[in-house]
Amino acid sequence: MEQRMRRATRGRVAALATVGLLLAAGFGAGAAPVQAADTNLVVNGGFEDGLANWFVNNGNASDGAQLSATSDAYAGANAALVTSRTTTGSGPMQDLSGKVQAGQAYTLTARIKYENASGPATKQFFATMHYGGGTYTNLVSVTATKGQWAQFNGTFTIPATQTVSTARLFFETPWTATPSTDPDLHLMDFKLDDVSVVGAAPPAPASKTIEVVGKLPGEHNPLIGHKFGADGFGLVHDGRVYMYMTNDTQGYAPNPATGVSPGINYGDINQITVISSADLVNWTDHGEIQVAGPNGVAPFTANSWAPGITKKVVNGVEKFFLYYANGGGSSNVITGASPLGPWTSERTSTLIDGRTPGAENVAWKFDPAPFVDDDGQPYLYFGGGPASTSMPPAERFNNPKNIRAIELDDTMVATQGTAAVVDAPVAFEAGHVFKRQGRYYFSYSSHFGGNDFGGSQQPLPGYPGGGQIGYLISDNPMSWPKETYAGVLFPNQSQFFGAGTGGNNHQSVFEFEGKYYFTYHAPTLNKRINGNTTQGYRSPHIQELAFNPDGTIQQVVGTYAGVNQVRDFDPYRVFEAETFGWSKGVATTKIDGGSAQFGGTAPNLAVRDIDNGDWTALSSVDFGDNGAQSVTAKVRALAAGGQIQVRLDSATGPVVGTAAVDTPVGQWAEVTAELAGVTGVHDVYFTYTGPAGVDLFEIDTWAFQAATLELPVTVTASARCVGGKVYVAVQARNDGDAPVGIALETAYGERSFAAVAPGANAYQSFNTRAVSVPAGSATVRVTGAIGGQDVTTVRTVQHPAGTCGG
């Protein structure tokens, strides 16, 4: 990860006036009048829906409490009761991120009561905002009398300079570092009811849709152009490569006027983005895993950076283990039933933290990278950050010893033994291990020097420069002395992609169908959006990895061209519409139900924000010699007049089919475009047209239908009288240029003919043995080959009724 921010020591902003606070009762200011446009930003403030939208403040690792509903309410049926508090800040919390705005004033009201028999006669309580990290601001205060409901009633103004990407409101007693010394005074139970924060409604969220073509047609890097993703980690499973990434898009919020987003804020990232591909060029977007945060799979963690994943059979069941950094201070793991989940947490506390043996001197206990050896033994590599100040300056710079290797136990969710030092030269972060031909390769990102690494120095000869990917080679996955250093695997990405693309990097290596591939990130999509000035939003890339005869790695060159497509795309199936070789102006969103392609337990996404002139495309689609006759899309119309055009080889190529999206607005339905002249291998572009200024439709899936192969044949049937009986005569003429087999079938008999020559007829007159027969049908089956493929063509022909005699 780039530009990691150390977690600040919690500091309480107690001087209320310094943050523009205006309080009502007890502080000399009346509540601001509520304007018509104002709204209550708190959800379920009266707790009539139980504890929905509320949780216990978890801003610090030591925070903890029990939150429950109680019928002892100030008004209505319910209030919230908080018990078993471990810190003064352990109280009910609601996330107001995205709702409150810097520079705006708000009115806060709430009711609070405490009843502890041993508590003081009166007690001050605060409504407090946590803006992330160590920034806490007391908003409104009230002094309550024991056993009586007290009312918070005041206004507060958020400073114009305050970052509000994180804004979490909670209720607490005045902060003290050692509340356990007098729990009756500091940690009493209390009840909360009728909470409201009234002010200007939040603005509509900034559109995250990337309108430029971020992945240029013909190029294969970055892997996707409709969203960001960093720290990519590749997993090969069942013929696909899955890529797990830090969700850089989570904080992306471009200014509607300038198109420029504020810089990336790692503290807000608690999701992991997943994409996958069977060919390394067309990538399917699987959306985000909500890993951390109050609603995450592991809610006891706050962040999810730098994922690493592996799979292993545990107790006879194949499981997938997704490791991630919980900020800089710890790492954790969640477990999946498949590469796409569903995900669960088998732990209730972090996997790697200050308690991990051998990790005590590691500043940043993050960037966990798993590796399972051929014998089934799993390992985890983690760590990074500033070197220990106890080292001499030269050692701090050249051999900071800030990364660790440790064994995992058979469950994959616990460590065993003591972590060993990885003595990687000039190491900073991003440790990763893979195995090839019995040897272990450890790669990592190098640091940029500075005070954290002994001051400004030059690395020893051969050691990596700043922001490069170096590597070591060892015969033991737990032994990495500096003597195993083998060189620089990848220079800094700015060497290849130019201004605005520098910074740290994070890599992985995977083997796919006999070749090795190297993943890395660079802010190339961010650069195409904003020019040479980027804001740190990174995108995934892949290059092929080549080795020298002695096992060392040939230095990787970063390119926009990327890797070759390993196979042509198969269109003759139902596949997700959020599969892109390239795209322009669209986004994706999760929708209800499971995936038609990946199964009912996999997340289902659709393509959204489709406007007039947008398009999506697939690379190297193989339609075969016989071609496709149609394509069907599952769509949800959002406006009348939308169309899907199918084009070959470019967004302005010939239109080979058009589907009108004329289905009922707001409902999912299927539309089909008949195709003409679609054979062989082509890039396929779906271009979207319709009224300007509106979203046209959403798309869930595509499915192409192969053209039906038919042998040319002309068939006739008639009824006639012979000897007073009706005969049904059937004739089939071979109109092709090769012999075919023909079978004639009626209710009155069957006749087969082998190798009927071109232009020749197969004929049979069937005796019905009746003087009168009703009208009926005959079936003709023609068998042959077209283009080397066996084909059967069936024709049905009607014959008239027949009557003989009188």
Side-chain angles (χ1 to χ4, degrees), residues 17-250:
T18 65
V19 295
L21 179 63
L22 299 174
L23 296 182
F27 288 84
V34 176
Q35 305 299 318
D38 289 350
T39 186
N40 185 3
L41 307 183
V42 172
V43 179
N44 189 33
F47 300 96
E48 299 310 299
D49 291 330
L51 301 177
N53 297 94
W54 292 91
F55 53 96
V56 174
N57 174 28
N58 55 6
N60 289 314
S62 56
D63 289 332
Q66 294 293 320
L67 195 61
S68 60
T70 175
S71 60
D72 181 17
Y74 175 80
N78 290 317
L81 170 66
V82 59
T83 58
S84 304
R85 299 167 63 225
T86 59
T87 64
T88 56
S90 300
M93 172 176 271
Q94 184 162 137
D95 192 350
L96 300 184
S97 303
K99 294 184 176 183
V100 295
Q101 305 167 60
Q104 294 291 316
Y106 300 91
T107 299
L108 184 148
T109 61
R111 300 283 181 168
I112 200 161
K113 182 172 71 169
Y114 73 102
E115 300 168 302
N116 301 52
S118 300
T122 61
K123 183 66 179 177
Q124 187 180 30
F125 290 85
F126 281 110
T128 301
M129 195 80 82
H130 183 195
Y131 292 111
T135 305
Y136 293 78
T137 301
N138 299 135
L139 304 176
V140 179
S141 173
V142 68
T143 297
T145 299
K146 183 164 58 175
Q148 299 179 21
W149 285 100
Q151 182 181 22
F152 290 95
N153 187 13
T155 64
F156 64 93
T157 299
I158 299 178
T161 56
Q162 176 63 58
T163 299
V164 292
S165 55
T166 297
R168 306 202 303 170
L169 171 71
F170 68 101
F171 294 83
E172 61 172 348
T173 50
W175 182 78
T176 181
T178 57
S180 60
T181 58
D182 193 347
D184 291 329
L185 178 61
H186 299 299
L187 298 177
M188 66 276 292
D189 302 343
F190 63 85
K191 298 170 184 176
L192 183 70
D193 202 1
D194 286 1
V195 183
S196 71
V197 173
V198 175
S207 171
K208 296 177 183 287
T209 301
I210 295 168
E211 299 294 345
V212 304
V213 180
K215 179 184 181 184
L216 300 184
E219 295 180 347
H220 300 160
N221 277 332
L223 304 185
I224 50 177
H226 70 291
K227 62 168 56 173
F228 304 100
D231 309 319
F233 195 106
L235 169 75
V236 177
H237 176 72
D238 197 21
R240 294 186 73 85
V241 174
Y242 293 82
M243 187 80 71
Y244 301 79
M245 302 172 291
T246 304
N247 180 20
D248 275 18
T249 310
Q250 194 165 1

Side-chain angles (χ1 to χ4, degrees), residues 271-294:
Q271 299 172 345
I272 289 172
T273 298
V274 187
I275 61 175
S276 75
S277 177
D279 59 33
L280 302 185
V281 173
N282 296 294
W283 290 87
T284 301
D285 183 359
H286 299 290
E288 281 68 46
I289 306 168
Q290 185 64 57
V291 175

Side-chain angles (χ1 to χ4, degrees), residues 438-777:
R439 304 172 80 187
Y440 302 91
Y441 292 74
F442 179 92
S443 60
Y444 63 97
S445 182
S446 60
H447 67 71
F448 293 89
N451 291 335
D452 285 340
F453 293 93
S456 178
Q457 302 181 51
Q458 290 296 318
L460 291 174
Y463 276 16
Q468 298 185 336
I469 304 298
Y471 76 106
L472 296 75
I473 305 175
S474 176
D475 295 326
N476 185 331
M478 287 290 289
S479 176
W480 302 98
K482 62 185 178 182
E483 289 76 16
T484 60
Y485 176 70
V488 172
L489 191 164
F490 184 65
N492 190 267
Q493 62 276 8
S494 61
Q495 177 175 322
F496 310 112
F497 302 111
T501 64
N504 299 354
N505 215 313
H506 196 119
Q507 76 300 333
S508 77
V509 174
F510 63 87
E511 183 182 6
F512 185 53
E513 299 186 354
K515 293 184 177 180
Y516 286 83
Y517 295 92
F518 173 77
T519 77
Y520 62 102
H521 64 233
T524 46
L525 174 58
N526 195 177
K527 182 173 181 175
R528 279 177 170 156
I529 295 169
N530 298 135
N532 288 339
T533 301
T534 62
Q535 294 78 48
Y537 297 94
R538 301 154 298 173
S539 294
H541 296 64
I542 295 179
Q543 307 290 162
E544 190 172 337
L545 203 60
F547 296 83
N548 297 311
D550 64 356
T552 57
I553 301 173
Q554 296 178 17
Q555 195 169 103
V556 175
V557 174
T559 67
Y560 283 110
V563 299
N564 293 328
Q565 189 166 334
V566 301
R567 61 174 52 79
D568 293 330
F569 189 86
D570 174 17
Y572 298 124
R573 57 201 169 96
V574 176
F575 60 92
E576 298 297 335
E578 60 277 9
T579 302
F580 306 139
W582 307 280
S583 64
K584 174 186 178 295
V586 301
T588 59
T589 187
K590 285 188 178 180
I591 59 176
D592 292 339
S595 166
Q597 180 179 354
F598 296 93
T601 60
N604 189 27
L605 273 70
V607 182
R608 59 169 291 271
D609 204 1
I610 298 173
D611 304 315
N612 181 56
D614 290 343
W615 52 262
T616 60
L618 297 167
S619 174
S620 297
V621 181
D622 187 2
F623 294 105
D625 294 337
N626 302 310
Q629 67 180 14
S630 65
V631 61
T632 297
K634 184 178 179 182
V635 300
R636 187 169 75 97
L638 300 177
Q643 285 191 335
I644 299 171
Q645 297 171 327
V646 185
R647 300 174 184 262
L648 299 184
D649 300 320
S650 81
T652 58
V655 177
V656 294
T658 301
V661 184
D662 53 5
T663 55
V665 171
Q667 299 181 24
W668 287 102
E670 291 187 344
V671 298
T672 297
E674 299 298 326
L675 304 177
V678 182
T679 60
V681 178
H682 294 275
D683 297 336
V684 175
Y685 286 74
F686 302 103
T687 58
Y688 309 118
T689 64
V694 297
D695 289 348
L696 301 176
F697 41 78
E698 297 176 345
I699 311 174
D700 186 5
T701 60
W702 301 107
F704 284 86
Q705 290 75 45
T708 302
L709 299 179
E710 294 188 345
L711 297 162
V713 61
T714 300
V715 298
T716 60
S718 61
R720 60 193 183 91
C721 293
V722 178
K725 303 296 184 182
V726 178
Y727 282 73
V728 173
V730 183
Q731 178 177 290
R733 185 182 69 230
N734 178 8
D735 295 329
D737 56 6
V740 296
I742 297 178
L744 310 177
E745 302 172 2
T746 71
Y748 312 106
E750 301 177 0
R751 175 79 185 276
S752 295
F753 301 82
V756 177
N761 292 309
Y763 175 84
Q764 178 65 39
S765 183
F766 295 97
N767 186 356
T768 69
R769 295 178 174 81
V771 298
S772 179
V773 296
S777 64

